Amino acid sequence: MWGANLRAILNRKTWDTLRRNCYMLAGNVCEVCGETGRNGRVECHEKWEFDDTHSVQRLAGLLCLCPVCHQVKHIGRAISVAKESAVDLLRILRKLREVNGWDDGQVADHIEAAFKQFNIRSQREWTLDVSWLAANEHMMK
Ligand SMILES: [Zn+2]
């Protein structure tokens, strides 16, 4: 399911075990940039693969990331909350540029492509059932 996450599917203990093993296998550093957040903080990112032909979202593995690289992976969310934290967004964009060796144009192209893909996949995945409205029409009068 689009937007699915393991934390919601698994119980807390299982999820904690899973993510701690992910951190250990990565040597407790970010698998993208080799750094950590404050106090050695790392986070667990779920890698999903998308079969756009059959609308299948498949878990492909876990990635140990520093908090900033994790935010890069969720750039859309980072941008949507950027109104309150422009400094964080700048940090995220700088990281995206650095770890990929991109210039600003490539960063912009990547974000634009990611948003396009997100929009296309969101359209396909969300099927609305509004039968309740028909069954409760009296409540709308
Ligand atoms: Zn990182």
Side-chain angles (χ1 to χ4, degrees), residues 15-111:
W15 168 245
D16 283 347
T17 302
L18 196 61
R19 68 185 175 86
R20 285 190 185 118
N21 280 326
C22 169
Y23 303 158
M24 193 182 64
L25 286 169
N28 294 298
V29 296
C30 178
E31 293 184 63
V32 172
C33 73
E35 296 172 14
T36 67
R38 263 186 214 143
N39 303 318
R41 182 181 170 85
V42 286
E43 298 173 352
C44 186
H45 176 70
E46 297 149 31
K47 290 191 287 185
W48 298 97
E49 285 178 352
F50 297 90
D51 178 343
D52 290 308
T53 306
H54 303 97
S55 299
V56 175
Q57 179 179 344
R58 187 179 76 82
L59 183 67
L62 301 173
L63 210 52
C64 176
L65 297 175
C66 71
V68 179
C69 282
H70 202 188
Q71 287 179 297
V72 169
K73 290 284 186 188
H74 299 283
I75 191 79
R77 189 167 65 204
I79 288 170
S80 71
V81 300
K83 291 160 209 149
E84 293 136 46
S85 56
V87 173
D88 284 348
L89 182 59
L90 290 174
R91 193 175 293 131
I92 293 160
L93 294 174
R94 191 186 315 126
K95 182 72 102 174
L96 180 61
R97 198 174 52 212
E98 284 172 3
V99 298
N100 291 292
W102 290 345
D103 60 29
D104 287 344
Q106 288 170 302
V107 170
D109 288 347
H110 172 80
I111 291 170

